[in-house]
């Protein structure tokens, strides 16, 4: 979660918790939690090409997914960004996912 362990090989995937809000009914009883997660693949180099299949695989797994404690998941915004640090180019590609949990 948040960052990859030191020494992780590229490309890798990072899950980052953004925020959570309770969803209550009219009696103010908790129905579920509305969570927002950022899921991104990270690679080295000047191209997103190698990261796109990873982002697509994550989308196929998470979008509309359900499971133990998970009511549903919905892909929201896509993002891409680059950074240059210590002479190395890094690319990030991923999506925000809204995940409803109990």
């Amino acid at each position: 979660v948040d960052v990859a362990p030191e020494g992780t090989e590229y490309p890798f995937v990072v899950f980052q918790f953004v925020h959570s809000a309770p969803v209550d009914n009219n009696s103010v009883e908790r129905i579920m939690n509305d969570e927002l997660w950022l899921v991104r693949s990270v690679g080295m180099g000047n191209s997103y090409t190698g990261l796109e299949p990873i982002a697509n695989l994550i989308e196929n797994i998470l979008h509309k997914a359900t499971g133990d404690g998970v009511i549903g998941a919905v892909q929201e915004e896509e993002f891409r960004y680059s950074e240059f640090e210590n002479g190395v180019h890094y690319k990030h590609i991923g999506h925000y996912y809204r995940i409803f949990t109990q």
Side-chain angles (χ1 to χ4, degrees):
V1 175
D2 295 333
V3 296
E6 190 172 333
T8 300
E9 292 186 29
Y10 291 89
F12 57 80
V13 174
V14 177
F15 293 76
Q16 185 174 357
F17 177 77
V18 178
H19 73 81
S20 178
V23 177
D24 300 331
N25 64 15
N26 289 339
S27 301
V28 193
E29 296 170 346
R30 174 87 32 96
I31 299 171
M32 63 184 160
N33 293 308
D34 176 354
E35 301 179 5
L36 187 63
W37 286 80
L38 171 66
V39 183
R40 62 189 164 99
S41 54
V42 182
M44 290 177 29
N46 288 322
S47 174
Y48 291 105
T49 304
L51 299 178
E52 289 171 344
I54 298 169
N56 291 338
L57 179 60
I58 293 167
E59 178 183 351
N60 289 337
I61 293 169
L62 290 181
H63 184 64
K64 298 184 180 181
T66 61
D68 188 27
V70 176
I71 298 168
V74 179
Q75 175 200 318
E76 292 193 348
E77 302 170 41
E78 179 180 352
F79 69 90
R80 296 172 182 237
Y81 68 93
S82 300
E83 58 184 346
F84 184 74
E85 185 177 316
N86 297 327
V88 180
H89 289 274
Y90 298 93
K91 297 288 188 184
H92 303 255
I93 184 172
H95 295 93
Y96 285 95
Y97 288 89
R98 188 155 309 275
I99 301 176
F100 301 98
T101 62
Q102 283 185 318

